[in-house]
């Protein structure tokens, strides 16, 4: 075979290799170099695009090889068989999690920064990936929950517009319920709950069970507010000579001459700076939520500027283009990983 025939036969293969090498290099630069630190949610998507582009390159090279049609069909069949084997032997949970993640992107049951409860897990959402959802718990731990688990179980989401904070306690029959309701509502108002209300949930053999509830508008402080509500309920009842004890203890020490077991409530000192538990516990979730809000605001501003750019005069186009570049640079900085 002459050199001309070799060049003629292998030129399409070489051209295909060069074209796909340039395409893969360009895609790698755009996906991983141009937009650095895309975040955990987008890394897999970009890697999947690179994998698909590589598979397309392999198939294109096989098609352009100077071989017979039968051999070409056998090679393509072998490639398909290998891919089918990999998919068959891999865990089915991978695909169930992938499909569940895609489904949750459409349904949007919760957003980044929301409080959710799934089975025994409770925390704030920090990341929503294609395979799992990461939440930050009350102990500042990060838990990755598979998306298939989220699809097959009920998800409790605390609404961003407000949630109900409740505290239950049992008191004796010797105190009229109207007095208890007034003091419990007072405790809820001191904490800052809106429209507090009291329910009597049980009439036991020795005690009455009360439940004080109120609307909390700032859901980010749900842990601190619930703890403060417990404290203020204790203070309001003890300051009014109402003892919170178990029925057994009360029956043992009951009598007119027995000393009451009520802890005195010291005066609360207001401090200018107060450490809130949520600032420490849900730091990553708070940062993720703020990033989501900033990205949404910047995207809206970019769309408005691009619409103005299409109808702007030549004198205004330069300023608008500079503003667009600044906003795009801010978007790149926001996409940095939360762990950085």
């Amino acid at each position: 075979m002459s050199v001309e025939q070799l060049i003629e036969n292998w030129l399409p293969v070489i051209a295909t290799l060069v074209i796909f090498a340039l395409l893969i290099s360009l895609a790698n630069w755009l996906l991983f170099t141009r937009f650095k630190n895309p975040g955990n949610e987008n890394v897999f998507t970009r890697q999947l695009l690179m994998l698909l582009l590589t598979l397309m390159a392999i198939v294109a090279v096989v098609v352009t090889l100077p071989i017979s049609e039968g051999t070409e069909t056998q090679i393509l069949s072998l490639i398909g068989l290998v891919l089918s084997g990999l998919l068959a032997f891999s865990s089915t949970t991978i695909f169930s999690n992938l499909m569940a993640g895609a489904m949750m992107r459409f349904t949007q049951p919760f957003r980044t920064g929301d409080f959710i409860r799934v089975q025994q897990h409770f925390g704030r959402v920090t990341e929503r990936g294609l395979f799992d959802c990461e939440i930050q718990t009350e102990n500042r731990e990060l838990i990755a929950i598979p998306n298939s688990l989220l699809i097959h179980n009920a998800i409790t989401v605390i609404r961003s517009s407000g949630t109900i904070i409740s505290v239950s306690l049992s008191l004796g029959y010797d105190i009229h319920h109207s007095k208890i309701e007034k003091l419990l509502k007072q405790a809820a108002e001191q904490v800052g709950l809106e429209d507090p209300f009291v329910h009597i949930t049980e009439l036991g053999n020795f005690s009455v069970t009360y439940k004080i509830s109120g609307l909390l508008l700032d859901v980010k402080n749900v842990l601190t507010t619930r703890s403060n509500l417990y404290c203020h309920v204790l203070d309001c009842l003890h300051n009014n000579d109402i003892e919170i004890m178990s029925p057994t203890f009360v029956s043992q020490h009951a009598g007119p001459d027995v000393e009451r077991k009520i802890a005195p409530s010291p005066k609360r000192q207001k401090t200018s700076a107060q450490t809130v538990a949520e600032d420490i516990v849900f730091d990553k979730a708070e940062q993720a939520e703020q990033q989501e809000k900033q990205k949404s605001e910047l995207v809206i501003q970019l769309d408005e500027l691009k619409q103005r750019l299409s109808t702007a005069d030549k004198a205004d186009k330069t300023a608008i283009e500079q503003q667009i570049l600044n906003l795009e640079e801010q978007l790149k900085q926001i996409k940095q990983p939360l762990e950085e």
Side-chain angles (χ1 to χ4, degrees), residues 110-153:
F110 52 82
R111 299 177 302 175
T112 303
D114 287 346
F115 284 90
I116 66 171
R117 182 185 298 278
V118 182
Q119 294 184 342
Q120 73 274 17
H121 304 296
F122 173 77
R124 289 187 69 182
V125 179
T126 58
E127 291 183 6
R128 294 180 300 141
L130 292 176
F131 292 102
D132 56 38
C133 172
E134 185 183 77
I135 65 172
Q136 194 168 21
T137 66
E138 302 177 27
N139 299 324
R140 206 171 177 267
E141 300 171 343
L142 297 176
I143 299 180
I145 303 177
N147 288 331
S148 58
L149 184 66
L150 298 176
I151 292 295
H152 293 96
N153 292 274

Side-chain angles (χ1 to χ4, degrees), residues 28-274:
N28 182 71
W29 179 78
L30 288 175
L31 296 176
F32 297 98
T33 305
R34 172 65 174 171
F35 302 101
K36 294 182 179 179
N37 300 325
N40 293 337
E41 292 190 19
N42 300 322
V43 167
F44 175 76
T45 305
R46 301 184 180 198
Q47 291 176 345
L48 185 61
L49 291 175
M50 292 295 298
L51 177 60
L52 293 176
L53 189 59
T54 303
L55 291 177
M56 291 174 58
I58 294 174
V59 173
V61 169
V62 172
V63 170
T64 55
L65 284 174
I67 54 179
S68 63
E69 185 176 350
T71 306
E72 177 183 316
T73 304
Q74 292 178 358
I75 295 176
L76 293 177
S77 301
L78 179 62
I79 294 175
L81 183 63
V82 171
L83 292 177
S84 301
L86 291 176
L87 297 177
F89 285 105
S90 61
S91 177
T92 57
T93 56
I94 295 178
F95 299 99
S96 63
N97 287 326
L98 180 62
M99 295 303 297
M103 178 179 175
M104 292 179 64
R105 293 300 177 109
F106 291 104
T107 58
Q108 294 286 336
F110 52 82
R111 299 177 302 175
T112 303
D114 287 346
F115 284 90
I116 66 171
R117 182 185 298 278
V118 182
Q119 294 184 342
Q120 73 274 17
H121 304 296
F122 173 77
R124 289 187 69 182
V125 179
T126 58
E127 291 183 6
R128 294 180 300 141
L130 292 176
F131 292 102
D132 56 38
C133 172
E134 185 183 77
I135 65 172
Q136 194 168 21
T137 66
E138 302 177 27
N139 299 324
R140 206 171 177 267
E141 300 171 343
L142 297 176
I143 299 180
I145 303 177
N147 288 331
S148 58
L149 184 66
L150 298 176
I151 292 295
H152 293 96
N153 292 274
I155 306 174
T156 303
V157 182
I158 294 182
R159 298 175 59 183
S160 58
S161 59
T163 185
I164 298 295
I165 301 295
S166 303
V167 170
S168 298
L169 70 157
S170 299
L171 298 172
Y173 283 95
D174 56 332
I175 309 171
H176 196 269
H177 65 85
S178 60
K179 183 178 181 180
I180 300 299
E181 292 177 2
K182 180 180 178 181
L183 294 176
L184 293 180
K185 288 182 179 179
Q186 179 182 344
E189 291 172 353
Q190 291 176 356
V191 176
L193 298 181
E194 301 286 340
D195 302 325
F197 54 91
V198 179
H199 286 160
I200 297 177
T201 59
E202 184 181 0
L203 298 177
N205 294 330
F206 304 99
S207 61
V208 182
T209 302
Y210 298 89
K211 183 179 180 181
I212 172 64
S213 305
L215 177 63
L216 175 65
L217 298 179
D218 187 8
V219 296
K220 295 181 180 180
N221 297 326
V222 60
L223 300 180
T224 302
T225 304
R226 184 179 291 115
S227 176
N228 290 339
L229 181 58
Y230 278 105
C231 294
H232 282 80
V233 166
L234 285 173
D235 292 344
C236 287
L237 295 179
H238 285 180
N239 290 340
N240 288 272
D241 200 32
I242 298 176
E243 187 177 20
I244 305 177
M245 290 292 180
S246 66
T248 305
F249 189 92
V250 172
S251 63
Q252 288 178 354
H253 87 282
D257 299 329
V258 178
E259 181 183 358
R260 306 280 289 180
K261 304 297 182 181
I262 298 178
S265 301
K267 293 183 179 180
R268 296 181 177 270
Q269 297 180 354
K270 295 184 178 180
T271 57
S272 57
Q274 184 180 2

